[in-house]
Amino acid sequence: AMTEKISIVIVDDHTLFRSGVANLLSEFDEINVLFQASSGKDLQQKLSADDLPDIILMDITMPLMDGYEATKWVTTLYPGISVLALSMFDDEKSIINMLRAGACGYLLKESNASDLLEAIKITKEKGLFINENVSGRMLMSLRNESKVSTADLKLSDREMEFLQYCSTELTYKEIADRMNVSPRTVDNYRESLFAKLNIKSRTGLVVYGIKNSLINI
């Protein structure tokens, strides 16, 4: 059976890079590049509610409207879209800020085509993409920022348990199995945490959890 294509939008102010990525991706049968945009503003004008992409590859530094602002805008208005940040630098501060803005992961621009395809597929399947750059070093540095206490957050034991599972490779359905609850209940835990912590993505939850020592790594 023909599997449904993953639709992609590429937002980057460097025309050559942007069209290069578009050309690379169009070589893959499983990808459909919907359109390209040169900034967050350009994205806002081109994005149509009738034909939303699954994933937006988002550059961080752009004129008119940068990746942080554009990511916040997308994830607030269209929470069904996953934003994968594309970064020139392995720079913790910008990556953390992209994750906080609602991105579900990030990839370095020097990655090769098969890494990019892999990241896109994982993002589509799991709703997040954590590579070795994100998991260890960067999250440790997050730990040393200011902490909140769980009491203040009023998180239930089950929500805490769900939060632990979020940092694994398990899909939401697999987490539901582990916790012996229905996928619907897991959706409720997730929505409740999103609301209590004011966070919009699974990666955001993980980053938050590790930063506040709620997740053991």
Side-chain angles (χ1 to χ4, degrees), residues 92 96-97 99-100 134-150 153 163-164 167 197 199 202-217:
E92 294 180 349
I96 289 168
N97 286 333
L99 295 173
R100 289 206 176 118
V134 176
S135 347
R137 198 168 54 86
M138 184 184 107
L139 294 176
M140 288 311 280
S141 76
L142 270 173
R143 256 212 168 140
N144 306 326
E145 295 180 30
S146 60
K147 303 236 190 306
V148 293
S149 83
T150 19
L153 297 172
L163 189 56
Q164 294 289 339
S167 66
L197 307 177
I199 286 170
R202 177 168 170 173
T203 311
L205 287 180
V206 173
V207 167
Y208 184 92
I210 288 169
K211 173 174 180 279
N212 294 295
S213 302
L214 305 175
I215 289 177
N216 319 309
I217 43 173

Side-chain angles (χ1 to χ4, degrees), residues 3-4 7 9 12 16 18 35 44 61 72-73 78 91 109-110 119 126 134 144 159 171 174 184 206:
T3 41
E4 213 177 309
S7 61
V9 163
D12 196 295
L16 281 175
R18 194 175 66 234
F35 64 84
Q44 285 182 328
T61 345
K72 269 200 179 100
W73 178 80
Y78 305 106
D91 151 34
K109 285 189 175 182
E110 64 196 38
K126 298 190 192 293
V134 176
N144 306 326
E159 285 169 351
T171 63
E174 290 163 348
R184 177 119 196 215
V206 173

Side-chain angles (χ1 to χ4, degrees), residues 48 51 102 130 186:
S48 142
D51 193 13
I130 294 192
V186 156

Side-chain angles (χ1 to χ4, degrees), residues 6-10 21-23 25-26 31-36:
I6 304 175
S7 61
I8 301 286
V9 163
I10 303 155
V21 172
N23 289 337
L25 288 177
S26 56
I31 304 281
N32 167 36
V33 179
L34 271 187
F35 64 84
Q36 305 170 34

Side-chain angles (χ1 to χ4, degrees), residues 1 8 93 144 175 178 181 217:
I8 301 286
K93 192 161 168 285
N144 306 326
I175 293 174
R178 294 282 172 97
V181 294
I217 43 173

